[in-house]
Structure formats: C-alpha cells, structure tokens
Amino acid sequence: MDSDSLNSADADEALSEMLGIGLDVLVSLNETTETIEDSSTTKNNNLCTKISQLSSKEIELIANGSNQLKRLYTDEGVCVFPRESSIPSKLMRRITGELVHGSSKYSSDKSYEKIEFIPNGYTRIHERRELTRFENFVNDHESWRELCYGYLAKCVSAICGEEMILYKEKLNLKPPGGSGFAPHLDSPSLRIALGNNGPSTFVTVMIAIDDMTEKNGCLKVCKGPWTEENHVDVVEPEEGGDPDAGGRAGAIHAANELDFSPIICQGGDFAVFNGWVPHRSSANASPFSRRAVFLTYNPAREGDFHDLYYHKMNKKREDYTNVLKAQRNSDHEAEIAALSSVPLV
C-alpha cells in the first residue's frame, strides 16, 4: 500500500472515531459507486447529519488544538483544517454529482464559459461552451444545506470566535482548460450588492472536491495579518460595469509584488480565509476537472442576508444585460442610419 493510501486510511479512521461511527461505514461510503441513485441520497443525508451533529465544543477543541488554527488565522489570514477534520471525498463528489446531473431537480444559478481546446488530430483551436459554476443552491439540496449550515458553519464560528451564518455559495467546476481567476480581495466585491445595508465582515471556506494541485489550478493565497485597516490597494469598479467582472470591486493593483502560496490538498479538505486575504488561481492545465466549493459567511450579529444577496445580484445582472441589449440596438440603428445616408450610384 502506498503512502497516500495509508494517509487516507488513517484519516478515515480518525474521522470515524471523531464522529462516533464505525470505520466500516466510511469504507462502505468510499467503495460505493458514485452513480446517482435514490439510496445514495439517503446515505448522504445520514452522513451529513452525523457530521453536523458534532458539537461546537468538539470543533473548538480542534480549532484551539495543537494545529493552532485560530492563531494561524489571526497571523496569516488563512488556516487549513487538519486531515482528520475533512469531509469524506466520496461524499463531496457524490453530492456535487447530484447537483450537476440533477439540475432539473435542484434550483440554482448557473454560469457558463467558453473553453478553448485542440482536439486530437487537429492543430486549430476549437471552442466549446461548458457549465462552470453553480450558485444559490444550498437551500434546495438537503445534504449541502446540512453541511453548510451545520458542520462547516460551526468550523468557521470556532475560528472566528462568534456565530457565523451563510452569506453566499458558489461551486466552481473548472473543467480542463477552465480559466483561473485574477488576484483579488473578497470583501470589497461582496459589499457591492447590498452596500451599507448589508454585512461588512466576510469569511470564506474553500472545500476541495477533487485533489488540488498547481497543475489543475489550486487556490493560491498571500498570507498575512490582513484586515480592513491593513489591506492591499484595489482597483475601483467600473461605473455601470459587469457586476461579475469590471463592475465589481476587489481587483488588486500590484499583484506582482505579492507572494502567493498554493493550497495543495486532497478532496474533502478545507481552508478558511478572511475577506481581505489576496487570492488567485491559474487555469486548469490537467485533463480532469478541478472542482471546489466556496462558502462565504458573515457574523450572525450582522444579520441573515443570503436570499437578499442573490436577489440583488440577479437584479444587477439583469440590469447590465438590458444595458448591453440597448447598446446593441442603438449601434444597429446607427449603422442603418449611416447606410441610408450613402448616396445611390
């Protein structure tokens, strides 16, 4: 047996002991086919419930233990939970598959991307349109809801020292050739939707669904004691720009001067970082997808804005789309007018 298999076995044994369930349950989970079946949904719900039933005190022991997660979070803005705290990777892949392949069953907001590739036997670059992101899916999927409002919310709360509540979620599928994202900060862009009427403090949990490597475009962070009072300069958003691109704040001015460290981890592992930590990723240069979910939380004392956030963001996206349509119509009318003024020969 290789070292990776040993590490995986040790992690499963530690997790089964922590959850108070038999190791055979996890072994069975890892050996079960990933085909989406009704019976698998029951298994998902049962295991998600088991994980979510871990008490806040048990999770605080992990946060304050020998790994010094809370100190790392304060000093570096980011911490990676130990392997024994990870969510079984088969579970993460299965509930992700349910979401991707059951899009008619679970409501969500979807985004697509044009992927460039060169097919075998060809030299010319081709393009294909692929589904690359899901948002606003937690409330309609029981297993995701159990994890995000249960176990993972407790983990974030333990690190932050106060109760945290889900603000938004996104599942990045990042297929082969899928683009990365430019260096940015989360907090400035997350404030765009609600402004002063929404929360001001944001903390994100990144959960790897597939193993993350530098080749497949893992998350990279610039560690430091980053806060609202101590953060890198960001670019001002474009007036009336795309709310998912130039119209949102957070892009970093001098990203080349920052030192980004890769978070290389296995499926099911997760990291927590605050909203002022510079982070980025590269394109997926591997032949396989690199899926990860990003859950952003805010302090419960600031209020629950999850549904309002998506309502406002969807309205901003709709308004921007309407502006583009109006511009295209205006350009077309101007072209017709110009052509009509050309003298007939």
Side-chain angles (χ1 to χ4, degrees):
M1 184 179 291
D2 59 26
S3 59
D4 287 342
S5 297
L6 287 171
N7 290 339
S8 178
D10 290 342
D12 280 348
E13 185 174 358
L15 181 61
S16 68
E17 181 178 349
M18 183 170 67
L19 297 179
I21 60 178
L23 181 59
D24 58 322
V25 175
L26 290 183
V27 172
S28 174
L29 179 70
N30 288 335
E31 291 179 347
T32 302
T33 177
E34 291 183 45
T35 303
I36 308 305
E37 301 172 346
D38 291 340
S39 59
S40 70
T41 301
T42 301
K43 292 178 183 177
N44 293 346
N45 295 342
N46 289 344
L47 189 52
C48 286
T49 300
K50 281 283 187 182
I51 294 173
S52 297
Q53 284 174 350
L54 277 173
S55 71
S56 297
K57 287 187 177 180
E58 289 173 297
I59 296 172
E60 284 176 8
L61 288 175
I62 299 172
N64 292 303
S66 58
N67 294 289
Q68 299 183 316
L69 298 182
K70 292 185 75 170
R71 183 189 64 79
L72 285 173
Y73 179 77
T74 300
D75 294 347
E76 300 182 350
V78 59
C79 65
V80 180
F81 269 68
R83 183 67 187 155
E84 59 267 23
S85 306
S86 299
I87 302 163
S89 58
K90 289 286 187 180
L91 171 65
M92 293 305 301
R93 289 198 292 270
R94 188 175 290 128
I95 63 177
T96 297
E98 287 180 358
L99 195 63
V100 173
H101 301 295
S103 57
S104 60
K105 181 178 179 181
Y106 305 107
S107 63
S108 63
D109 301 331
K110 303 177 184 67
S111 299
Y112 296 81
E113 179 183 338
K114 285 185 178 179
I115 306 292
E116 293 186 345
F117 68 105
I118 302 177
N120 290 335
Y122 289 79
T123 57
R124 185 170 59 86
I125 295 176
H126 289 61
E127 282 188 350
R128 64 174 180 264
R129 184 173 180 265
E130 282 204 29
L131 177 63
T132 54
R133 176 179 293 180
F134 284 84
E135 290 191 72
N136 196 18
F137 56 86
V138 163
N139 288 343
D140 202 39
H141 191 289
E142 185 176 353
S143 296
W144 278 110
R145 189 168 63 249
E146 285 267 9
L147 282 176
C148 299
Y149 284 103
Y151 178 58
L152 292 169
K154 291 176 185 176
C155 289
V156 181
S157 299
I159 293 297
C160 297
E162 63 176 312
E163 182 185 358
M164 305 293 284
I165 191 168
L166 187 66
Y167 182 67
K168 62 162 292 199
E169 70 273 3
K170 65 179 179 182
L171 167 62
N172 290 341
L173 302 179
K174 205 164 192 175
S179 60
F181 51 85
H184 68 283
L185 310 181
D186 281 346
S187 286
S189 64
L190 291 171
R191 290 176 175 175
I192 291 294
L194 302 177
N196 294 330
N197 296 317
S200 60
T201 304
F202 302 99
V203 179
T204 295
V205 187
M206 183 283 298
I207 308 100
I209 296 166
D210 306 298
D211 293 354
M212 279 194 161
T213 66
E214 290 201 68
K215 184 175 182 179
N216 67 17
C218 67
L219 174 68
K220 295 182 179 181
V221 297
C222 179
K223 299 176 180 178
W226 305 108
T227 64
E228 185 166 6
E229 292 72 32
N230 175 42
H231 65 82
V232 297
D233 292 335
V234 295
V235 179
E236 289 297 316
E238 299 172 7
E239 185 72 27
D242 184 346
D244 292 307
R248 66 189 306 169
I252 296 173
H253 269 298
N256 292 335
E257 299 175 7
L258 300 176
D259 182 20
F260 289 90
S261 303
I263 295 183
I264 297 173
C265 58
Q266 298 178 48
D269 291 349
F270 59 94
V272 178
F273 57 97
N274 78 47
W276 299 102
V277 172
H279 56 289
R280 60 178 294 270
S281 78
S282 302
N284 182 1
S286 80
F288 306 104
S289 292
R290 189 242 63 189
R291 299 166 296 178
V293 65
F294 291 79
L295 311 172
T296 298
Y297 293 81
N298 66 267
R301 58 180 164 80
E302 293 186 340
D304 181 353
F305 294 96
H306 180 274
D307 294 347
L308 182 59
Y309 167 80
Y310 281 109
H311 173 75
K312 291 289 188 180
M313 281 302 297
N314 287 335
K315 181 66 167 62
K316 286 181 177 292
R317 289 163 178 155
E318 182 182 343
D319 290 346
Y320 179 68
T321 299
N322 290 335
V323 168
L324 290 182
K325 288 179 179 178
Q327 288 176 346
R328 284 196 293 267
N329 290 337
S330 177
D331 291 344
H332 179 69
E333 290 172 1
E335 182 180 358
I336 295 299
L339 289 173
S340 65
S341 65
V342 176
L344 297 176
V345 177

